[in-house]
Amino acid sequence: MRTSSIRAIRRVELSRAAFEAVIRFGLRKTTLEKVGDIAGVSKGVVLHHFKDKSALLEAVFRSSNTLLSGSVVELYRYAVTPYERLWAIIVANFFETIFNRQVCQAWVSLISEVPHNKECQRVQIANNERIRTNLMHELKHFLPEQEAEQVARHLGVHIDGIWVRAGLLPHPVETNMAISEMQFAIEKLLPFDEISAAKHKEARKKIEAIADIALGSKAFKEKFLQV
């Protein structure tokens, strides 16, 4: 294996270890030493790949966003209709493998760093744009383009808001509750009659069933979650 490939693999491993450290200890108490301990390497090895904690945090942002993006891509494989693809985006953002109290708390810690780190800002802007684009692509099947653009932005903000609230509340926000809140927003923002209501219900049920298998699988966890 080429040296560049080994370096890339090691950076991914350390990024995941850093995210795990933030989950365990919080952002302030996450140190390069603790990241090294989780990854099974010395602080020197961490510094070899990341010049400081700021650079490591940027990698954590990229790693966490890759996880969300990978979840959407995985569910897209099984989504056939615009209804199913819309629900694939929603379910992917709130599936319990990713959306749990510890991860949400870690995410709140991480986004507090965004105003002070330009690289993290760039990553977060790119992530927001990805979610907006994904939503926009599907919403155009339900709404005129200009209105779809507005609804996509609103749903994106709603997704962020649920994540932040889940990280701040003293009790966990269950996946089903989060998805149901998104469904309430969809019912208010999209054309919703008896026929479309039935299609949304069927699409959500199908995608949630697939997510239980695809996103909860050992293969998916090994690819995106293990450090």
Side-chain angles (χ1 to χ4, degrees), residues 4-17:
S4 58
S5 298
I6 296 174
R7 176 181 289 273
I9 291 171
R10 175 58 75 188
R11 285 179 66 88
V12 170
E13 291 172 346
L14 291 174
S15 298
R16 293 177 180 174

Side-chain angles (χ1 to χ4, degrees), residues 204-222:
R204 175 180 173 177
K205 181 178 179 180
K206 173 185 172 179
I207 296 301
E208 285 184 315
I210 291 171
D212 284 337
I213 299 171
L215 303 188
S217 69
K218 181 179 179 181
F220 180 84
K221 292 177 180 179
E222 286 180 345

Side-chain angles (χ1 to χ4, degrees), residues 7 21 33 40 73 80 105-106 128 150 169 172 177 190 200 222:
R7 176 181 289 273
E33 289 90 347
V73 170
V80 179
Q105 288 175 336
N128 290 342
Q150 294 174 333
L169 290 177
M177 181 183 297
L190 271 62
H200 278 292
E222 286 180 345

Side-chain angles (χ1 to χ4, degrees), residues 5 22 62 64 76 80-81 84 88 136 151 162 167 171 185 196 209 212:
S5 298
V22 174
R62 294 188 186 280
S64 60
Y76 263 7
V80 179
T81 68
E84 292 174 2
M136 180 69 179
V151 172
I162 294 173
H171 54 80
S196 61
D212 284 337

Side-chain angles (χ1 to χ4, degrees), residues 18 28 83 97 120 165 217:
R28 291 185 179 180
Y83 290 91
T97 300
C120 289
R165 187 185 61 185
S217 69

Side-chain angles (χ1 to χ4, degrees), residues 160-222:
D160 287 344
I162 294 173
W163 267 85
V164 171
R165 187 185 61 185
L168 295 175
L169 290 177
H171 54 80
V173 176
E174 301 295 337
T175 288
N176 186 65
M177 181 183 297
I179 295 175
S180 292
E181 290 193 6
M182 292 300 299
Q183 179 173 331
F184 180 82
I186 287 172
E187 290 176 359
K188 299 302 180 183
L189 294 169
L190 271 62
F192 221 83
D193 53 25
E194 187 175 344
I195 294 176
S196 61
K199 290 183 177 180
H200 278 292
K201 181 179 180 180
E202 183 180 349
R204 175 180 173 177
K205 181 178 179 180
K206 173 185 172 179
I207 296 301
E208 285 184 315
I210 291 171
D212 284 337
I213 299 171
L215 303 188
S217 69
K218 181 179 179 181
F220 180 84
K221 292 177 180 179
E222 286 180 345

